[in-house]
């Protein structure tokens, strides 16, 4: 579903979320284009750790649509859902013979937009 008028879309961002972008994207790909109610049900029963922060951002986007645009939450559809790379936290683990092994703890930025379905 393509939303042509950007004024009828409410967007929420979750920034610096711990977790890799690829693991978040596999969940967002299943939510894009679904209704708010269907997305919440799906998120509740998915076995992934990233569903917690995604649910939080989705609820925030719906709250933005309800309070700022006056839209009805039961009629909203997820119009856009993206995950972008955030900065990596760099940590080091000691290894054999005095060497250090770099560990990159990834973060990501989640953006979810909801809009009323176009007729």
């Amino acid at each position: 579903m393509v939303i042509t008028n950007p004024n009828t879309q409410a967007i929420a961002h979750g920034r610096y979320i711990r977790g890799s972008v690829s693991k978040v994207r596999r969940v967002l790909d299943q939510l894009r284009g679904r209704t708010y109610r269907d997305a919440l049900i799906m998120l509740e029963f998915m076995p992934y750790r990233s569903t917690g922060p995604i649910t939080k951002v989705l609820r925030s986007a719906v709250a933005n649509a309800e309070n700022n645009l006056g839209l009805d939450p039961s009629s909203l559809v997820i119009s856009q859902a993206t995950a972008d790379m955030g900065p990596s936290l760099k940590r080091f683990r000691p290894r054999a013979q005095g060497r250090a092994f770099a560990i990159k703890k990834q973060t990501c930025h989640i953006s979810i937009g909801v809009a009323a379905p176009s007729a």
Side-chain angles (χ1 to χ4, degrees):
M1 171 182 293
V2 176
I3 305 300
T4 56
N5 188 357
N7 295 332
T8 61
Q9 182 176 7
I11 299 176
H13 304 283
R15 305 200 60 201
Y16 305 105
I17 306 291
R18 278 282 286 118
S20 77
V21 179
S22 58
K23 291 179 182 179
V24 172
R25 280 184 185 149
R26 73 178 169 198
V27 176
L28 291 177
D29 288 342
Q30 294 179 7
L31 300 181
R32 207 172 289 116
R34 299 204 185 254
T35 64
Y36 171 58
R37 183 182 169 134
D38 290 344
L40 280 182
I41 292 170
M42 285 181 67
L43 284 169
E44 189 174 341
F45 293 106
M46 281 186 185
Y48 304 119
R49 190 179 141 260
S50 62
T51 57
I54 291 173
T55 303
K56 208 170 181 181
V57 175
L58 178 60
R59 287 183 193 273
S60 177
V62 170
N64 290 342
E66 189 176 3
N67 295 316
N68 300 343
L69 302 176
L71 298 174
D72 180 31
S74 61
S75 67
L76 293 175
V77 173
I78 299 174
S79 57
Q80 79 174 34
T82 59
D84 299 317
M85 193 101 169
S88 293
L89 302 171
K90 289 152 182 87
R91 302 291 182 258
F92 292 95
R93 169 130 320 155
R95 297 308 285 244
Q97 298 179 3
R99 292 186 176 95
F101 181 72
I103 295 175
K104 291 183 181 151
K105 297 179 178 256
Q106 297 182 3
T107 62
C108 66
H109 304 312
I110 301 170
S111 300
I112 296 180
V114 294
S118 57

